[in-house]
Amino acid sequence: MIRLVRALFLSTLVIAAPAGAAVWQPSPGHVQVPIWPGQPPNALRAPVPESVKPGTAAIHDVSIPTLTVYSPTGHNTGVAVVVFPGGGYQMLAMDLEGTEICDWLTSRGITCVLLKYRVPGSGPTWENGKRYYPKVQTALQDAQRTLGLVRQHAAEWHIDPHKVGVMGFSAGGHLVAAVSTHFDKRTYTPVDDADRLNSRPDFAVAVYPGHLWIHEDDDSDTRDETDLGLRPDIHVRPDTPPTFLLQAEDDHVDGVEQVLAYDVALMKAGVPTELHIYAEGGHAFGLRAGRLPIGRWPELVERWLHTLGMLGG
């Protein structure tokens, strides 16, 4: 697999850590490679060096986006999932919503492609106590690019190019919605053949997504809770991929209105959607919900993929 991943480019960029800092690295046997052959589009002029918070897998200041391929253990179903960790478009939770998710997927015969997308400021976020909406969502550029790369290397990675989905958490859930509704054209100038391939996911899973509800920034005392409109950067269309949505009612970071707004828009567009809302779970539980009923969500995703014909009939 190392050879196959390195085949993405003629040469592999060495991702080095600045003095006194650490750069995230995958587990032994896996190689992360840059998704762009040169400078990414809309690159920062003087980026802060990437770093990992000591004692965690929380990555900050990603300016060189990478992908890491995790191959299935045992039977290969041909299904691939590009995983978007969350972190408010400020950082990336690469363990809770990244490698741990890949361990589950690969144990089910699914190839996991873990995307380390650019942060901060690459999508809707907070700056100086106010909501910040970047003119260009560079995380979306990274997601579109990665879907093209997965399909370009489908044969090498033993992937069915018609069974490539996305899964994201929190801000990564917003990225799921963004890439699911922006696939008619790239949001950057194509750089090679990978950018000529389809960037539409074949299915999508958004877990406690944020930045979807139009009133999320309004004053909680005066906003219209009955208006479940979507934020204007998300344009649901009839060919938006089938979508699985999950959220807890006691999520006080990204309220339940986030999935409800997206679910309503998907339903009105005629997009096949499965929505699960649980009483307890809070936010950022990943696979760590323990004995709570919401902790069984991976089983629900697997059953749903069976109904779509991704994992068989």
Side-chain angles (χ1 to χ4, degrees):
M1 180 52 67
I2 292 177
R3 179 182 63 82
L4 294 178
V5 175
R6 283 181 173 156
L8 275 168
F9 307 110
L10 294 177
S11 62
T12 299
L13 177 64
V14 176
I15 304 174
V23 171
W24 177 83
Q25 296 292 344
S27 58
H30 301 95
V31 176
Q32 62 171 327
V33 294
I35 64 173
W36 301 97
Q39 187 89 314
N42 302 103
L44 299 176
R45 292 185 178 180
V48 175
E50 178 185 323
S51 63
V52 180
K53 186 176 180 180
T56 74
I59 309 178
H60 299 264
D61 299 305
V62 176
S63 59
I64 302 175
T66 69
L67 66 78
T68 304
V69 178
Y70 294 78
S71 298
T73 56
H75 174 64
N76 186 344
T77 64
V79 177
V81 174
V82 181
V83 173
F84 309 139
Y89 287 115
Q90 291 289 332
M91 47 77 71
L92 298 177
M94 292 296 281
D95 53 354
L96 172 69
E97 296 161 353
T99 56
E100 294 178 16
I101 303 302
C102 288
D103 288 343
W104 157 53
L105 291 171
T106 56
S107 73
R108 298 301 189 268
I110 298 171
T111 298
C112 177
V113 180
L114 180 55
L115 175 61
K116 186 176 79 174
Y117 56 90
R118 282 174 280 179
V119 290
S122 56
T125 188
W126 286 89
E127 272 194 10
N128 301 319
K130 296 182 180 179
R131 180 71 66 183
Y132 169 70
Y133 299 102
K135 292 182 179 179
V136 178
Q137 294 190 21
T138 54
L140 174 58
Q141 295 178 335
D142 296 343
Q144 289 181 321
R145 169 76 177 168
T146 300
L147 281 159
L149 286 170
V150 172
R151 291 195 166 103
Q152 184 182 50
H153 294 272
E156 298 168 69
W157 298 345
H158 307 290
I159 291 168
D160 185 334
H162 304 293
K163 293 185 177 182
V164 179
V166 291
M167 179 181 298
F169 303 79
S170 194
H174 171 271
L175 187 52
V176 163
V179 78
S180 294
T181 55
H182 295 81
F183 51 80
D184 52 337
K185 63 179 180 179
R186 294 295 201 268
T187 55
Y188 55 90
T189 302
V191 297
D192 56 26
D193 289 344
D195 293 327
R196 294 172 181 65
L197 297 176
N198 186 8
S199 67
R200 175 188 179 273
D202 294 304
F203 59 88
V205 179
V207 182
Y208 44 84
H211 316 305
L212 296 175
W213 185 38
I214 193 171
H215 294 298
E216 70 169 347
D217 298 329
D218 296 351
D219 189 293
S220 60
D221 294 328
T222 59
R223 64 189 179 193
D224 184 359
E225 303 280 355
T226 65
D227 180 6
L228 294 175
L230 276 179
R231 276 183 21 83
D233 65 303
I234 303 297
H235 302 279
V236 173
R237 38 194 289 174
D239 53 354
T240 296
T243 302
F244 181 102
L245 300 171
L246 177 80
Q247 201 139 13
E249 287 184 345
D250 64 350
D251 186 337
H252 302 300
V253 176
D254 290 312
V256 72
E257 293 87 358
Q258 305 287 349
V259 291
L260 291 175
Y262 196 40
D263 178 65
V264 168
L266 292 166
M267 178 183 63
K268 288 182 177 179
V271 177
T273 309
E274 185 160 326
L275 170 65
H276 293 270
I277 297 176
Y278 286 80
E280 296 179 279
H283 189 75
F285 48 82
L287 298 176
R288 305 178 187 178
R291 295 176 178 267
L292 290 175
I294 202 170
R296 300 185 65 180
W297 70 267
E299 299 174 28
L300 300 175
V301 170
E302 291 174 41
R303 292 179 185 176
W304 176 70
L305 289 176
H306 276 285
T307 67
L308 296 180
M310 293 292 160
L311 294 179

